[in-house]
């Protein structure tokens, strides 16, 4: 079988995943426009995010098994096809119910695509932790770079085209993603040698029971859930800025550039710093501090939304806070759960399953939070309550993160101890051979 260099695998992953995010992301800069077109409230836009995540929830408990069983190439093609059809339905939706259903199917495609790419990284770089870390970083950067490009593109197009036409363009991009998967994605050597686990309900249940007996798995779900609540806030930033500032629906579209730019900053600046730290204690302190800053940014957003609404400088301060908010959560959302999935899932060839379960339960958590946020924002409490709710959730994550690092690096620590013991044994044996003139007595059992 022909082989590929690590650089080629990274480039292909980056480009193909970028197609997915570019197509999926069209509602983010246009949500304020869509809200006005369909006469939605700010609470309904939050609930739209909640209902949309139901597709991720349902899909993640099925598609991880499918990706492990049938391989990432077929799963990716299927995911892009679902995305193409659901975007076309979204473009032709005229009420809250139909747009919620199509949003759910759009997010369902994500439950297919992300586990498939995680499997690609895990199989190609199963024995190379350095390339594995690089692969996770490349895929995460692809997500946020393409999100930035898509927001800018769709925001500019909104001045010339109706949002339904822009959605149709996004659907065309999705079908091109399926084409690139067909042409460029290869099966990895490990994938061809090791057959996938059988797809069965009993196997799914037994795996779930096994995982939920793992403290690390439960902690990883909670950490990812808290980060997910921030990661998928993008569609709400438009309504937030229209409520607290003097900007109109098209002007606030450009404000939605800040979250993906914040994630890019976090991945390119904070990510390498995190990976360069030698001890897991240093990594733990680094991540917990970033989480504390996340809480502080949310509390500050709560106060400016309550006491400084409609001021000239509100947009500037709010934009800066959102930029650093997303930066502070980038490692927790992208790097930590994927490291856990690959390190603890590759041995049993269940990377997709583990990743899907973590994401699935995380989206259930976020779906409930967004629903509560929708109720709060339409009440007298408003955005003040929304940001304080998120701050409380992120504060809880600080405590769980501190303990979780003992689990995350336990496997790596054990492997290092084995290697060190092995090296010590070899050095000892070499010394004995030198003292005995190259002759070592052997015991015959």
């Amino acid at each position: 079988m022909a082989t590929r260099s690590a650089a080629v695998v990274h480039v292909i992953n980056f480009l193909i995943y970028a197609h997915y995010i570019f197509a999926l992301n069209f509602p983010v800069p246009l949500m304020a426009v869509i809200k006005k077109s369909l006469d939605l409230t700010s609470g309904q836009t939050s609930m739209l995010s909640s209902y949309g995540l139901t597709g991720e929830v349902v899909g993640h408990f099925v598609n991880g098994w499918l990706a492990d069983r049938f391989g990432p190439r077929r799963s990716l093609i299927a995911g892009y096809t679902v995305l193409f059809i659901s975007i076309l339905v979204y473009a032709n939706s005229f009420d809250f119910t139909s747009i919620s259903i199509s949003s759910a199917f759009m997010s369902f495609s994500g439950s297919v695509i992300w586990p498939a790419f995680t499997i690609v990284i895990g199989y190609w770089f199963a024995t190379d932790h350095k390339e594995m870390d690089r692969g996770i970083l490349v895929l995460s950067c692809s997500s946020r770079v393409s999100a930035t490009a898509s927001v800018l593109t769709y925001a500019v197009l909104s001045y010339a085209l109706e949002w339904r036409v822009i959605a149709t363009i996004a659907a065309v991009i999705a079908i091109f993603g399926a084409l690139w998967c067909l042409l460029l994605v290869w099966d990895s050597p490990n994938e061809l040698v090791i057959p996938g686990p059988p797809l069965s309900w009993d196997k799914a249940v037994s795996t779930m029971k096994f995982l939920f007996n793992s403290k690390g798995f439960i902690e990883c779900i909670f950490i990812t859930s808290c980060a997910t609540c921030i990661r998928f806030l993008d569609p709400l930033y438009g309504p937030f800025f229209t409520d607290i500032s003097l900007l109109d629906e098209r002007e606030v579209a450009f404000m939605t550039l800040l979250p993906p730019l914040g994630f890019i900053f976090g991945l390119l600046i904070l990510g390498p710093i995190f990976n360069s730290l030698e001890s897991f204690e240093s990594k733990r302190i680094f991540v917990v501090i970033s989480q504390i800053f996340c809480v502080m940014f949310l509390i500050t957003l709560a106060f400016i939304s309550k006491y400084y609404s409609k001021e000239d400088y509100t947009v500037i301060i709010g934009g800066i806070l959102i930029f650093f908010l997303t930066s502070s959560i980038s490692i927790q959302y992208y790097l930590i759960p994927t490291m856990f999935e690959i390190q603890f899932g590759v041995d049993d060839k269940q990377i997709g399953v583990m990743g899907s379960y973590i994401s699935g339960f995380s989206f259930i958590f976020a779906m409930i939070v967004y629903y509560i946020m929708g109720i709060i924002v339409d009440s007298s409490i408003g955005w003040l309550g929304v940001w304080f709710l998120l701050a409380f959730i992120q504060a809880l994550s600080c405590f769980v993160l501190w303990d979780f690092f003992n689990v995350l690096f336990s496997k790596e620590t054990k492997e290092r101890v084995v290697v060190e013991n092995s090296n010590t044994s070899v050095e000892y044996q070499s010394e004995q051979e030198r003292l005995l003139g190259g002759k070592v007595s052997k015991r015959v059992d």
Side-chain angles (χ1 to χ4, degrees), residues 230 233 236-237 240 244 295 297-306 322 325 373 376 382-393:
I230 304 298
L233 280 175
L236 300 184
Y237 292 129
F240 170 65
I244 71 162
V295 176
F297 296 141
L298 288 165
I299 292 174
T300 310
L301 278 169
F303 278 105
I304 69 164
S305 65
K306 177 67 175 179
I322 287 171
L325 169 66
M373 285 166 51
I376 292 174
W383 290 102
L384 174 72
V386 168
W387 298 121
F388 266 119
L389 172 64
L390 291 172
F392 173 73
I393 292 170

Side-chain angles (χ1 to χ4, degrees), residues 420-432:
E420 289 174 352
N421 290 341
S422 176
N423 291 338
T424 302
S425 177
V426 170
E427 290 173 2
Y428 176 78
Q429 183 175 347
S430 299
E431 179 67 14
Q432 291 298 309

